[in-house]
Amino acid sequence: ILSFGSRTPGRPGWEKTQEYITGTMRGLGWVVEEDKFEADTPLGKVAMRNVIASFHPEGGECIVDVSAHLDSKYEPHYEFLGATDSAAPVGMMLAAAQVLTPALQTHLAAAGDMPCLRMVFFDGEEAYAEWSDTDSTYGARHLAAEWAKSPARFGEGASRLASMRTLMLLDLLGNPRPSLTWQFGNTKPLFARMQSVEQRMRVLKLVVAEGAAGGALLTSGTATTEQRGTISDDHLPFLHLGIPILHLIAAPFPAVWHTERDNLSALDPSTVNALGAILTATLAEIYALNL
């Protein structure tokens, strides 16, 4: 993805990223939708496109929607690549889909039915001028509003939004020794499940990367409940509509955040592989898959 260049909407690298995501997911047999819209930005109207990929959408409610933003920040003075922000999270999602798809297909064939698994690639997360409620999260705001009023496709409730049981949002991941903790109390059990997966993988030496304090990548942290969940990101439009959110984001942000240094050199391969493996194994456990 980084080899495509800047992923600012409308640029060649953005188009190549869109094609790569849709081609990968369609090639795996997932149902892919492209949510096209025009966003009003400080630079004028900009064409944007969310990508939604579903495995067995006929299953109704999705146990979890995994998401990240596919765009990179508009920067007129240099080519901003956004390795942690959020090429690496998108790569983790695509890798998880590649590993999980054969097991999902086997499980569906044996069971005859199962809840859907969905991956959402948001466009237009980044601000064009200065982050605000109207200059940011363009794709997430558009999709949340559309799904809140769109009728359900497979009887999963009054609207398409009703098919979303939990939104997992990945952002600012891939830098060495990140600080990752839970942000919302109602998804703390899911975060604890991911912690358990990490611990078991460490015993098997499948995860060796360390977090900010050494040891585990996913920690309970020391912040109070009131100090959590304060980061603005693509989850907010869904949070405001009552969707439970698991926000996996490095906090404090990586030192390379919104700089030219957020490129391939900012990524720690061990950390990227570890977080991708934890994500994949957690989804496999949630969906009772045999990998």
Side-chain angles (χ1 to χ4, degrees), residues 28 93-104 276 280-281 284 289-291:
L28 292 171
M93 291 169 60
L94 295 176
Q98 289 172 326
V99 173
L100 292 171
T101 296
L104 286 165
T280 301
L289 306 178
N290 294 317
L291 294 182

Side-chain angles (χ1 to χ4, degrees), residues 188-198 200 282 285-287:
K188 189 176 178 181
L190 178 54
F191 183 82
R193 189 169 194 169
M194 295 189 77
Q195 286 181 292
S196 173
V197 167
E198 178 186 358
R200 283 175 274 151
T282 300
E285 187 170 287
I286 289 171
Y287 283 84

Side-chain angles (χ1 to χ4, degrees), residues 151-163:
R153 298 178 65 196
F154 299 104
E156 63 271 35
S159 69
R160 284 208 69 183
L161 193 66
S163 68

Side-chain angles (χ1 to χ4, degrees), residues 92 174 178 180 194 197-198 201-202 206-211 217-218 268-282:
M92 292 174 196
L180 300 169
M194 295 189 77
V197 167
E198 178 186 358
M201 295 184 81
R202 283 191 180 279
L206 297 175
V207 167
V208 295
E210 294 187 343
L217 289 161
L218 306 176
D268 174 51
S270 178
T271 302
V272 173
N273 291 337
L275 291 174
I278 293 166
L279 171 65
T280 301
T282 300

Side-chain angles (χ1 to χ4, degrees), residues 214-266:
L217 289 161
L218 306 176
T219 68
S220 297
T222 58
T224 65
T225 300
E226 291 73 21
Q227 293 171 319
R228 300 174 188 262
T230 58
I231 300 171
S232 295
D233 208 343
D234 277 324
H235 66 286
L236 287 181
F238 298 91
L239 178 70
H240 294 157
L241 290 171
I243 301 298
I245 306 295
L246 179 62
H247 195 192
L248 286 178
I249 185 168
F253 294 172
V256 299
W257 178 66
H258 283 185
T259 72
E260 195 171 4
R261 294 178 293 118
D262 193 4
N263 53 35
L264 183 61
S265 67

